[in-house]
Amino acid sequence: MPYKFTFDLSKISRFFFTEIARVGYQKGMHKKVGKTAQDIIRKFRIQEATGLDVSDAVVLLEDLIDLQARNLLEREKFVQTRKRVLFLPHCSRKYMDNRCQAVFDSNIPSYLCKHCSPDCLVNKAASFAEKKGYDVYILPGGSCVPKILKSKHYEGIVGVACGEETKLSGEMLEGTNLAAQSVPLIKNGCANTVFNLEALLKTL
Ligand code: SF4
Ligand code: SF4
C-alpha cells in the first residue's frame, strides 16, 4: 500500500535520521511523539524541502521513528543470525519498463535481476548482498513476503520499502522468531524510488 502523498527526503541532512533514532528511543516505541515530531519537522525544514503539509510530515516522521526504534531493538538478535534474506522493492529499479532486463518469476514471486545497468540501485544492492551470502528478492509488493518465508527458513531479514509497506511487513512478522532490519525509501512514488545505499550496506 503506497502513501497517499509523495515525498523526497534525498536532500535532507543524514543527521535527520540519526535524530529520529535518538528521539524514537528516548520516547519509546509505538508512542506518538506529537509536539516533538513537529519540532523536528521545523528544525530540519522538512515542509519547505518536501512540500508536505504538516500532518503528512508527522505521519512520515512517526513511521520513520517507529522503524528506527525497531531496528535498534532487533539489531543484537539480527547480528546473531546466519541464514539471511534481502527484500528489495521493484520500484527502485533503474527502469520500470522493458528496458529493465529482470525476469519475473511468479512461482517465487520475485524479479530476478540480470544486472543490465551498473548504476541501477537495485543491482548495486543485490550484487553486494549476494556476495555477502544473502538470498535476494526484488518484490512487486509486501504481499509476496509470506509465500517466500513459508518456503525458505530464514533467520534474519533485511527489507527495503516505504514506511507503509514496512509497517505491514512488520505486522506479518509479529509472533515469528525472525530478526528484521528495515531500510526506508527516502523518495517514494512507486517508480524511480530511492533508498540510501550506504545505510543498506551498513545494515547488511
Ligand atoms: S540492473 Fe537489474 S533491476 Fe536494474 S534495470 Fe537492470 S535488470 Fe532491472
Ligand atoms: S513506494 Fe515502492 S515499496 Fe512503497 S508501495 Fe510503492 S511500490 Fe511498494
Side-chain angles (χ1 to χ4, degrees):
M1 280 283 290
Y3 284 118
K4 292 196 180 89
F5 52 85
T6 58
F7 63 87
D8 182 356
L9 300 178
S10 54
K11 293 187 180 67
I12 307 282
S13 156
R14 294 217 41 218
F15 182 61
F16 170 63
F17 297 96
T18 315
E19 185 80 346
I20 285 172
R22 190 184 65 75
V23 171
Y25 224 55
Q26 280 177 351
K27 296 281 172 184
M29 281 175 66
H30 309 305
K31 285 187 185 169
K32 302 288 181 189
V33 291
K35 186 173 176 308
T36 310
Q38 292 183 24
D39 290 345
I40 295 178
I41 286 163
R42 243 191 314 275
K43 181 174 168 185
F44 287 90
R45 300 180 178 274
I46 300 299
Q47 280 183 273
E48 289 88 334
T50 61
L52 291 177
D53 69 32
V54 74
S55 58
D56 286 343
V58 167
V59 168
L60 181 59
L61 185 58
E62 285 174 352
D63 286 352
L64 289 171
I65 289 170
D66 190 59
L67 181 150
Q68 298 286 11
R70 280 174 189 245
N71 280 350
L72 285 170
L73 292 174
E74 292 261 308
R75 187 68 194 170
E76 210 176 309
K77 188 175 166 196
F78 175 79
V79 294
Q80 310 293 332
T81 60
R82 290 188 180 179
K83 194 171 178 201
R84 295 180 186 171
V85 59
L86 169 64
F87 293 124
L88 292 168
H90 78 125
C91 55
S92 294
R93 290 174 295 156
K94 182 174 180 183
Y95 302 117
M96 295 291 283
D97 55 23
N98 58 12
R99 286 173 293 173
C100 169
Q101 302 295 305
V103 175
F104 185 69
D105 185 338
S106 56
N107 292 320
I108 300 178
S110 170
Y111 287 94
L112 306 172
C113 175
K114 295 294 179 183
H115 310 288
C116 70
S117 302
D119 60 342
C120 170
L121 202 49
V122 164
N123 182 14
K124 287 183 192 177
S127 301
F128 181 88
E130 279 164 0
K131 277 189 203 129
K132 287 206 70 160
Y134 280 74
D135 286 351
V136 178
Y137 300 92
I138 303 162
L139 304 181
S143 58
C144 304
V145 170
K147 188 175 176 192
I148 294 169
L149 294 181
K150 213 171 161 188
S151 58
K152 306 267 184 172
H153 298 287
Y154 294 109
E155 297 169 8
I157 299 177
V158 178
V160 180
C162 61
E164 286 279 278
E165 281 285 310
T166 305
K167 260 196 297 189
L168 291 174
S169 300
E171 284 164 15
M172 279 182 226
L173 296 180
E174 272 170 23
T176 72
N177 201 30
L178 293 159
Q181 297 283 280
S182 308
V183 175
L185 291 180
I186 54 173
K187 178 174 182 286
N188 79 338
C190 296
N192 305 120
T193 60
V194 177
F195 56 88
N196 186 309
L197 184 64
E198 199 187 323
L200 174 62
L201 302 190
K202 274 190 193 155
T203 302
L204 294 173

